[in-house]
Structures are given as structure tokens and as C-alpha cells.
Amino acid sequence: MAEIQMSSLGLVEEWRKPAHGTQYLAALSASMGAMAVGAAIGYSSPASAALLAKPPVDNTTANTTSAPDWLAGNEEQLDLQLTAMENNWFAASLSAGALVGCMIAGFSLNTLGRKGTMLASVVPLMLGWALIGFAQNIGMLVTGRVLCGLCTGITSLVCPTYTTEYASKDIRGALGSGFQLFVTIGILFAYLFGALVDSWRWLVLVCASVGGVYLLLAVFIKESPTFLLSKGKEEGARASMQYFRGKSYDIEPEMNALKESLEEAAKNKVSFSDLKEPYILKPLVITLALMVFQQLAGVNAVIYNINLIFQASGTSISDDLSSIIVGIVQVLATAAGSLMIDRVGRKILLCFSAFAMSVSIISLGVFFYIKSTDESFAQDVLGWLPLTSLMVFISAFSVGYGPIPWVMMGELFYPNVKEAAGSMATTLNWTFVFIVTFVFAPLQDAIHDYGAYWLFGGLCAVNFLFCVFFVPETKGRTLQETMAHFGGPAA
């Protein structure tokens, strides 16, 4: 009799547990979008190194053809050459497209749905890769990057939103951290094949293939139950929820809670004018500051131009190998960060991240300063420093300032405030991605390589002080407790 009771209790316990297989499959499909984004981000580094490389001029054949200028001396037109300023536009234009993509995503999410938005985002991505692959001039390259950026901005909003909405609470954190992890895997993918593939044009095909896989997987995913319910499609929402939770799982409590949350959000929707309330304004300022400091660290300028940085260092380690090592470190550090965030705490990781980034990027500046005064000493004695500095820099960013500003954005606001605050934070973030990436090369010309890195290091030091004195710890706190810290109401 006792055995029968224990067996019955076991079955009941199984009914209470949601299935994970379908959720992991959907997370993989969405994460391929993150990998496609990472490939687009990482592509500019090996491509820029090739586009800026000046081939030797063959004077005997330079004027013996009547072909168009863009073909002169190069039948296959595989060696478009860019000036430093043109390459600057090439690298930064992805961020400009992402900024526009973030603005489009909000409208698209509520009209096409989460799945529809994912499928639609692949269109500009593939058009962008096609323009880059067949580019005959800088205009085609920049336009292609902007189109890839549109997908980047849309994907950076739709994929985490989709994952959060269907994931059960027992694995929501793990699935949510997968987006940032797959972005770093995509960057490593571009670095790795950038070293293996001779032509930047063939590298386009390799990177675009990730977008093709993303499209194929996205076709078969189920729409978010939250979106379906928000559109009054209750039966469709139930079917979607049952699919994600398993056939034997009782979805009624979760469906009722979802209905209540949607009704509450509709009743208490916050406008931009409400953001001036102190308990909203204070966390908003902190969130916006975290987004700005995230980019003022210079991480995207480094990632977009890492091959060029290693070329300029003149060390004995090849720039391709150095880039791959940094890419591997970034993936491992991002994975480690996702495991530490709920154990160590947000504030401690942010403080560590800012401090370590400051020290490492200043050390890189020291190397370039010594190189400008004594090149042989720098390369012979300090040749290890650029790779070491960037490994520490990327690791520190990945465990702290990479994921945590986005996590805290979801922890510092009531649900009815998140849409307005999140829109402002995301737009500001991508604006500074563009600014920092675009001014990086002119900044190097104006104050030298070492001056640019010292500037980033100084900003990271200011960032460290900001985290120490102004950023609250949200680990283990309920939303009500966090809001009470800022003087907010209890509900």
C-alpha cells in the first residue's frame, strides 16, 4: 500500500513539473538569432584587416585594361580597398542599423508577433550579407552593414523577449542567459573562419549561413503564449503553453496568472511623463548610466577592430590567433558570468568588472606608449602584454558589464514601467555603440593609440566609483524590496 502511495505521489510530482525539452529546443532556435548577430558583429574585424591591406601595385599592368576602375588590376574584384575613414564607417554602420532596428522592433513585436518578427528580421540580414558579398564600393558595404544592423537591433529585443515569455520559472534564468552566450559564440565563429578563409567575400557566405540556419529553425517554433493571449487568442495561447509545458502538465494556474498580469499591465500602463516620479527616475538614471558606461569602456571598438589592434601591436603572435584566443576567452567568461550572477551578486561583479577593465585597458595603452618610444623593447620584452591585456579586458566585461546592465534593467522597474524604460535604455545603448565605434579611429589619430586606451581606462575608473557609490544590490531582493529602496509604493 505504501509503495502504491509513493508511486502516486511520484506521478503527481511529475505532473507538477513542466517539460524542458520543448523549451530548450525553442531556446536553441532563438539563440541561433543571437549567433547570427554575433557573426555580424565579429565579421568586421577580419574583414577590416583585409580591406585595409594594400596590395603591391603592378606598374606593368596597371594601365593596360579598359575595365571599370573597380576592376582595374584585379579581375575578380576581391580586393576592395578602404581608407581609414571608410573603414571606420564600415565598422560603425552596423550599430547605426541596430539603433533603427531597436525602434522598429517595438512596433513589430506587437503586430507581427514574436515568431513573425524573428522571421522578418532575417530578410534584411540576408540582403545585407548579399550587398557586402557583391560590394563594388564603400556605399554597398555600408548599406549592407546597416541592413545587418537592422536585424541585430530587432533580434537583440525579440529573442530575449520571446524566451522570457515562454520559459518556465525553474529554467528561465538559464535560458535567458543563453542569448548573450550565443552572441559571443557567433563572434568567435567569425574570428575562427576569418583566420581560415582567405577572402572576406567568402567569409560573408560562411557568416550568412548562420542566418540561414536561424531562419529554418524559427519556422518551426511556436508563438509566445503571452503574445497570443494579448491578442485575445486564448485557445492558441493555451495550446502554446501546453506545448512548452508538456501534455500532462496543468497549465491553468499559470494561464490565470498570465491573464491577471496582462490585465494589470493594461490598467496601469505608464507613459514617458510618469518617469519623473522619484522612485522611477532614480533607477532609470542608474540604468541609463550603466548602459552608457557599458559602451564607454570601449568594448565594441575593441571587438570590431581586434585584428587591427593586434596588427598594430607588432607582436610575434599572429593577429588571427590572438583574436581567436580572445574570442574563446569571451565565450568561457560569458558562460562563467551566467553561473556567478546569482551567487556573487550584481554590484560586486559590476565593481570587479569596471576595475579589471580599467587596469587591463590602461596596461594596453602602456604597451603602445612604450612601443612608440622603443619598439624593439616593447616587442621583445612586452610582446605578451597586448594579448594578456585584452584577455583580461574581455573576461572582465563578459562576467560583469556585458550581461548585468540588461539584467538589472528588468529588476529595477515595475512591469508597467519596463516598456518605456527599456526602450530608452536600449536606444541609448546602441547610440553609444555607434558613437564609440565611429570615433575610435579618429581618436587614435588625435591622441595616439595609447591615449585612446588610457581614455577608456579612465572612464572605466569613473565607472568603478559610480558602481561603488550609486548602484544598489538587487541579488535576492523582491521587486517590492528594490522599489522600497528608491521610495516606491509597496504594490
Side-chain angles (χ1 to χ4, degrees), residues 386-400:
L387 177 58
T388 304
S389 296
L390 286 177
M391 286 172 64
V392 173
F393 179 78
I394 292 295
S395 297
F397 177 84
S398 299
V399 300

Side-chain angles (χ1 to χ4, degrees), residues 90-171:
F90 173 68
S93 52
L94 181 86
S95 307
L99 178 59
V100 178
C102 288
M103 301 175 184
I104 295 173
F107 171 78
S108 180
L109 278 171
N110 293 321
T111 52
L112 299 178
R114 285 49 166 163
K115 177 179 178 178
T117 300
M118 281 190 251
L119 294 173
S121 70
V122 181
V123 176
L125 177 68
M126 303 310 283
L127 287 175
W129 281 125
L131 276 174
I132 296 170
F134 292 103
Q136 301 176 7
N137 50 55
I138 180 62
M140 293 180 71
L141 286 173
V142 169
T143 303
R145 289 285 285 173
V146 169
L147 287 172
C148 289
L150 280 175
C151 176
T152 297
I154 294 170
T155 303
S156 66
L157 183 59
V158 65
C159 289
T161 299
Y162 174 71
T163 303
T164 301
E165 288 181 347
Y166 77 73
S168 55
K169 63 182 180 181
D170 57 329
I171 57 171

Side-chain angles (χ1 to χ4, degrees), residues 27-28 32 71 74 80 97 175 202 242 250-251 261 273 284 316 329 335 339 387 392 402 436 443 456 459 482:
L28 175 63
M32 287 306 298
L71 274 177
N74 184 8
L80 259 179
L175 296 185
W202 284 110
Q242 198 73 69
D250 181 11
I251 64 170
S261 66
S273 62
L284 177 62
S316 58
V329 168
L339 297 176
L387 177 58
V392 173
V436 172
L443 195 63
F456 288 142
L459 290 169
T482 301

Side-chain angles (χ1 to χ4, degrees), residues 32-49:
M32 287 306 298
M35 186 171 173
V37 165
I41 292 171
Y43 171 80
S44 68
S45 180
S48 292

Side-chain angles (χ1 to χ4, degrees), residues 192-204 206:
L192 179 62
F193 280 94
L196 298 176
V197 178
D198 291 335
S199 168
W200 57 269
R201 292 185 185 272
W202 284 110
L203 183 59
V204 165
V206 175

